[in-house]
């Protein structure tokens, strides 16, 4: 490890580190625009100039210069100061004075660094260049005259997203950053370029002119649009969530989020349930809490209240599920299920349905077999990790229908019988792999391939001393938390239907089939007027993930906590309070009267839910050598990436993305 001296302070830096990284390790702030720690080095903004000896007597770009033994680095000399002022002056030559109307104002790197490292005025008197605006789709607003050609957006699209959609055209003064053929950037991670852009060239189209950063309350939350559990920050003003931004967590989402996680938040304000409704004379009519609770109590009248079932939706927090379980337990019922679409895989050992490699660990896999998963839609952030693995030399094989991957992959076919007779090239790739991995997705679980995949653990050598390569990839934010709390029947939803409950509590369950429950009193406790509310006899308005504190467990078994950002609208209440009030109406005792008591009771029953971080599910179960998978995977569960949950379906931005990016509908002008 080389030793270098930074402003008189001697430090030891890792081999291969750059001068910029050495300066940061020494606690020195180095301005930069093009450099980003997760992207390749471009070295084209020249803002990170420092003085280095031995070397030529001139400032050098620290981002592209390796740190070597014996270097003396100066970051604060008059030469460095003058050089940075000169670079900033050049960068601002063509930059428009847009700050008062620019959405980047208040959180703009160019503003901050112009104040910190720039001159007090400009000596440029020539005409400024202007660049025509580029169309990058419904999510990204462009004002390309502001662009300083840092190429962060280009490198993100090519290196992280794996979709070569943005690039630079022409040379010199005519250079422009644009999407090829000026079409929309059509991939699931496109809006991350907004966070990367250090100026106001790429900003959020739906958020344009909505708010300034200093007006907003910032709340730490968890994304519920998929099972990855990306760490996000919700920015709210008053009772409205204005935007969602990613938080840095290297173990989960690094610093990226999917477009759905970022832009479904406008759906929090639309199609909301804010009053109690009851079905009267064939239609849902406005009602009161008291009348609704009396109707539920009447359906369960008598000493035996056990004919009640609860189905958990995909966006639920663990506290709500535990409150529902406590209510049913007090009524004498065990009819609880979270796999609302009808899956019924074995959950006796949670290690078998967990992403055991961890999200960060899958990057190091060198042979990967994907069974029944459209990873790009089910978990875009896992897809970026797989892309990293492929860059390191991993080979990827897929069993299931073809989908457009962002890395080289071999599709083996749709027949699950392949699992019992894998092609020779797949077996050879796994035989020579040090960290082999299998990813079983939703389509594979639905087709009953879990046992057959467990049978491959020994065949493919998936488990080693310091490595567990067996992974189940869920796409529901509530799935792992629900399984930890026991929200699973042996036969899945079929068991619930066979029990013919008198009362069915649909806890935000919008994807389930309500037909088998014609004779039951269907009570929907949720936040959007979606499919569940349409099928219900009683609708009780609840809070969304942004309107309550809650615990979530992601697909790798990581327990995470989300905070309440805003209050629920109208008469809507937090889910646990509804269930607590329902317990009084049914005259049963659930054992908690406050959120703190509820959380304490939940942690007492499942201690792992009280500790943030990875839960320990123990070793994988012993595989059944005779288990075979049959049938074919004809389609994946997610038909439309942008419209997978009630919040997204209520979002105008997500509807526009679905229409334009997936279904090719051109957006009509008002006159048309």
């Amino acid at each position: 490890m080389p030793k270098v001296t930074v402003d008189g302070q001697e430090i030891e830096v890792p081999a291969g580190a750059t001068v910029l990284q050495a300066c940061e390790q020494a606690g020195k702030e180095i301005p930069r625009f093009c450099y980003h720690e997760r992207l390749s080095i471009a070295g084209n903004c020249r803002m990170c100039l420092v003085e280095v000896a031995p070397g030529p007597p001139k400032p050098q770009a620290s981002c592209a210069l390796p740190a070597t033994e014996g270097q003396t680095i100066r970051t604060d000399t008059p030469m460095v100061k003058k050089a940075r002022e000169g670079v900033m002056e050049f960068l601002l030559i063509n930059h428009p004075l847009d700050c008062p109307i620019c959405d980047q104002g208040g959180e703009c790197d160019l503003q901050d660094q112009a104040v910190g490292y720039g001159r007090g005025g400009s000596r440029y008197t020539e005409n400024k260049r202007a660049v025509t605006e580029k169309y990058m789709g419904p999510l990204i607003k462009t004002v390309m005259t502001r662009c300083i050609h840092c190429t962060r957006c280009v490198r993100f699209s090519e290196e992280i997203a794996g979709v070569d959609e943005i690039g630079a055209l022409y040379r010199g003064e005519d250079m422009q950053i644009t999407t090829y053929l000026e079409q929309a950037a059509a991939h699931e991670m496109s809006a991350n370029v907004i966070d990367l852009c250090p100026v106001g060239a790429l900003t959020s189209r739906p958020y344009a002119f909505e708010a300034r950063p200093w007006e907003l309350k910032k709340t730490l939350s968890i994304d519920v649009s998929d099972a990855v559990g990306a760490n996000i920050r919700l920015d709210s003003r008053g009772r409205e969530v204005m935007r969602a931004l990613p938080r840095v967590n290297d173990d989960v989402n690094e610093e990226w989020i999917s477009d759905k996680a970022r832009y479904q938040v406008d759906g929090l304000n639309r199609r909301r349930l804010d009053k109690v409704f009851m079905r009267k004379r064939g239609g849902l009519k406005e009602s009161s809490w008291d009348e609704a609770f009396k109707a539920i109590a009447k359906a369960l009248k008598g000493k035996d209240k056990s004919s009640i079932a609860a189905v958990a939706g995909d966006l639920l927090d663990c506290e709500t599920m535990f409150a529902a379980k406590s209510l049913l337990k007090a009524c004498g019922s065990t009819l609880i299920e979270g796999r609302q679409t009808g899956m019924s895989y074995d959950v006796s050992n949670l290690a078998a349905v967990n992403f055991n490699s961890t999200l960060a660990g899958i990057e190091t896999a060198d042979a990967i077999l994907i069974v029944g998963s459209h990873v790009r839609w089910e978990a875009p952030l896992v897809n970026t990790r797989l892309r990293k693995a492929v860059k390191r030399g991993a080979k990827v094989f897929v069993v299931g229908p073809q989908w457009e991957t962002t890395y080289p992959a071999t599709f083996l076919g749709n027949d699950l019988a392949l699992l019992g007779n894998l092609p020779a090239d797949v077996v050879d790739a796994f035989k020579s792999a040090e960290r082999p991995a299998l990813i079983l997705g939703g389509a594979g679980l639905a087709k009953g391939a879990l046992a057959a995949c467990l049978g491959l653990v020994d065949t493919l050598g998936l488990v080693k001393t310091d490595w567990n390569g067996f992974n189940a990839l869920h796409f529901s934010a509530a799935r792992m938390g629900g399984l930890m709390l026991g929200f699973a029947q042996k036969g899945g939803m079929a068991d619930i239907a066979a029990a013919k409950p008198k009362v069915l509590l649909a806890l935000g369950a919008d994807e389930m089939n309500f037909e088998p429950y014609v004779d039951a009193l269907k009570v929907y406790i949720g936040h959007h007027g979606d499919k569940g509310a349409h099928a219900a006899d009683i609708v009780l308005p609840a809070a969304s993930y942004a309107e309550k504190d809650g615990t979530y467990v992601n697909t790798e078994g990581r327990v995470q906590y989300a905070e309440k950002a805003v209050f629920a609208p109208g008469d809507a209440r937090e889910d646990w309070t509804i269930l607590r009030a329902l317990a009084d109406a049914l005259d049963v005792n659930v054992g908690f009267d406050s959120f703190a008591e509820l959380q304490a009771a939940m942690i007492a029953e499942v201690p792992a839910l009280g500790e943030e971080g990875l839960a320990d599910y123990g070793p994988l179960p012993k595989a059944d050598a005779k288990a075979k998978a049959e049938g074919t995977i004809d389609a994946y569960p997610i038909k439309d990436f942008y419209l997978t949950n009630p919040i997204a379906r209520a979002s105008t931005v997500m509807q526009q993305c679905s229409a334009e990016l997936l279904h090719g509908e051109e957006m009509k002008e008002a006159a048309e």
Side-chain angles (χ1 to χ4, degrees):
M1 293 172 70
K3 288 181 180 177
V4 298
T5 304
V6 180
D7 291 344
Q9 176 188 351
E10 187 177 73
I11 59 167
E12 202 171 25
V13 297
T18 62
V19 169
L20 186 147
Q21 289 168 324
C23 293
E24 289 201 328
Q25 191 175 321
K28 303 294 178 182
E29 183 181 348
I30 303 295
R32 85 291 296 267
F33 292 115
C34 68
Y35 175 79
H36 191 279
E37 51 271 16
R38 299 189 197 278
L39 304 175
S40 62
I41 293 169
N44 54 13
C45 78
R46 318 310 286 178
M47 195 64 213
C48 62
L49 296 173
V50 295
E51 204 175 324
V52 182
K58 64 175 185 177
Q60 298 190 64
S62 59
C63 68
L65 187 67
T68 56
E69 181 70 37
Q71 276 178 334
T72 302
I73 304 160
R74 298 304 302 263
T75 68
D76 54 2
T77 62
M79 181 204 285
V80 170
K81 185 175 184 294
K82 186 178 179 183
R84 288 176 181 171
E85 285 179 355
V87 169
M88 181 58 72
E89 195 173 2
F90 272 117
L91 287 173
L92 293 174
I93 274 178
N94 286 309
H95 199 77
L97 293 172
D98 277 352
C99 298
I101 57 138
C102 175
D103 268 314
Q104 199 85 343
E107 47 191 9
C108 173
D109 291 352
L110 191 64
Q111 274 184 336
D112 296 343
Q113 293 183 40
V115 171
Y117 303 98
R119 295 177 77 250
S122 173
R123 295 172 288 181
Y124 186 74
T125 57
E126 307 300 319
N127 292 329
K128 294 195 174 206
R129 83 171 198 150
V131 183
T132 55
E133 306 314 334
K134 313 297 178 191
Y135 183 69
M136 290 194 184
L139 303 179
I140 305 167
K141 178 188 173 189
T142 67
V143 184
M144 298 313 288
T145 303
R146 301 172 188 160
C147 180
I148 61 169
H149 300 164
C150 70
T151 67
R152 280 185 180 183
C153 54
V154 178
R155 285 174 285 147
F156 172 83
S157 297
E158 291 181 355
E159 297 164 15
I160 307 295
V163 182
D164 296 345
E165 291 198 337
I166 303 177
L169 300 180
Y170 318 123
R171 300 179 65 186
E173 192 182 20
D174 296 322
M175 180 176 167
Q176 299 179 17
I177 303 288
T178 180
T179 52
Y180 299 118
L181 307 177
E182 295 200 22
Q183 291 180 339
H187 61 88
E188 304 76 32
M189 306 280 289
S190 65
N192 286 290
V193 298
I194 295 167
D195 298 328
L196 287 173
C197 185
V199 297
L202 304 177
T203 54
S204 171
R205 188 181 287 273
Y207 179 69
F209 310 125
E210 289 291 326
R212 286 298 196 186
W214 54 84
E215 300 176 304
L216 304 174
K217 185 184 88 172
K218 299 163 179 61
T219 308
L220 307 183
S221 190
I222 301 297
D223 168 44
V224 296
S225 65
D226 58 31
V228 172
N231 289 208
I232 58 173
R233 189 186 86 199
L234 294 177
D235 287 1
S236 56
R237 185 176 61 191
R239 298 186 72 154
E240 183 180 356
V241 175
M242 303 300 291
R243 63 177 180 176
L245 295 175
R247 288 189 284 135
V248 177
N249 186 331
D250 288 334
D251 293 328
V252 183
N253 57 306
E254 299 178 282
E255 60 185 82
W256 322 121
I257 53 173
S258 71
D259 292 348
K260 182 165 52 178
R262 187 186 299 266
Y263 285 115
Q264 70 173 4
V265 292
D266 75 308
L268 291 170
N269 305 317
R270 295 180 170 85
R271 296 190 195 165
R272 285 304 300 267
L273 298 173
D274 58 358
K275 288 183 172 63
V276 178
F277 290 96
M278 289 183 66
R279 194 170 294 280
K280 298 172 183 174
R281 295 183 294 280
L284 288 171
K285 310 291 184 202
E286 197 175 317
S287 186
S288 67
W289 287 100
D290 190 47
E291 189 181 359
F293 286 151
K294 282 179 178 174
I296 299 168
K298 185 180 178 183
L300 289 173
K301 67 182 177 183
K303 290 183 179 178
D304 184 17
K305 297 185 175 71
S306 62
S307 187
I308 180 172
V311 178
D314 290 347
L315 311 183
L316 278 195
D317 55 296
C318 292
E319 284 81 358
T320 298
M321 289 188 278
F322 181 76
K325 182 182 178 181
S326 300
L327 174 64
L328 265 68
K329 186 178 179 182
C331 291
S333 172
T334 57
L335 295 173
I336 53 176
E337 179 57 71
R339 299 165 295 178
Q340 52 172 329
T341 54
M343 289 189 274
S344 58
Y345 46 84
D346 180 20
V347 293
S348 56
N349 185 318
L350 292 186
V353 289
N354 185 47
F355 203 92
N356 296 294
S357 298
T358 72
L359 300 175
I362 198 68
E363 289 180 11
T364 63
D366 43 10
I368 302 163
L369 176 63
I370 300 171
V371 180
S373 180
H374 187 328
V375 182
R376 205 174 145 180
W377 280 8
E378 291 175 19
L381 293 163
V382 174
N383 196 57
T384 63
R385 303 272 193 181
L386 295 181
R387 182 171 161 73
K388 278 192 190 180
V390 171
K391 274 180 160 181
R392 289 173 172 159
K395 293 181 178 177
V396 178
F397 306 94
V398 185
V399 176
Q402 290 219 5
W403 47 276
E404 192 177 344
T405 60
T406 55
Y407 38 80
T410 305
F411 284 85
L412 304 175
N414 299 8
D415 194 349
L416 284 170
L418 282 163
L419 299 177
N421 186 23
L422 287 168
D425 57 333
V426 179
V427 175
D428 291 343
F430 274 82
K431 201 175 284 182
S432 59
E434 291 182 14
R435 294 167 84 85
L438 181 147
I439 298 175
L440 175 60
L445 286 168
K447 287 287 185 179
L450 178 60
C453 287
L454 283 169
L456 292 173
V457 169
D458 293 333
T459 310
L460 301 180
L462 298 178
V463 177
K464 301 183 188 297
T465 308
D466 58 346
W467 174 255
N468 184 340
F470 187 85
N471 304 299
L473 180 61
H474 302 290
F475 47 83
S476 159
R479 182 70 73 245
M480 285 307 291
L483 295 180
M484 289 171 76
L485 288 165
F487 263 75
Q489 301 288 314
K490 191 172 184 182
M493 290 298 294
D495 281 9
I496 302 285
K500 296 191 182 324
K502 291 178 184 174
V503 174
L504 174 73
L505 299 180
L507 305 165
D510 289 282
E511 322 302 328
M512 66 177 283
N513 177 18
F514 285 91
E515 285 182 13
Y517 308 98
V518 176
D519 299 327
L521 179 71
K522 297 178 284 295
V523 181
Y524 179 75
I525 303 175
H527 40 79
H528 277 78
D530 207 84
K531 299 171 188 174
H534 283 270
D537 300 311
I538 296 175
V539 174
L540 304 178
S544 71
Y545 76 100
E547 295 149 6
K548 58 187 173 183
D549 293 323
T551 305
Y552 297 89
V553 186
N554 75 354
T555 192
E556 61 176 350
R558 185 178 298 277
V559 179
Q560 301 184 109
Y561 192 74
E563 296 173 3
K564 179 178 180 174
V566 293
F567 287 96
D571 289 339
R573 298 289 180 266
E574 293 181 32
D575 309 57
W576 76 268
T577 63
I578 297 172
L579 294 162
R580 176 65 188 82
L582 181 55
D584 282 346
L586 296 176
D587 197 25
V588 295
N589 179 26
V590 288
F592 58 83
D593 294 313
S594 68
F595 185 77
E597 289 178 7
L598 163 63
Q599 207 168 45
M602 178 185 78
I603 293 167
E605 183 168 311
V606 186
L609 292 174
E611 297 178 29
E612 287 196 274
L614 291 172
D616 183 8
Y617 299 129
L620 287 170
K622 287 186 178 179
D624 179 2
K626 297 178 182 177
K628 290 182 180 178
E630 296 177 345
T632 58
I633 299 173
D634 301 315
Y636 296 110
I638 295 179
K639 303 289 187 290
D640 188 322
F641 170 73
Y642 297 103
L643 304 175
T644 56
N645 64 63
I647 300 174
R649 287 192 285 268
S651 162
T652 53
V653 180
M654 291 294 95
Q655 289 171 19
Q656 190 176 355
C657 286
S658 172
E660 187 175 343
L661 303 180
L662 291 185
H663 304 299
E665 295 174 22
E666 297 219 351
M667 308 314 292
K668 292 185 177 180
E669 297 291 332
E672 296 181 72

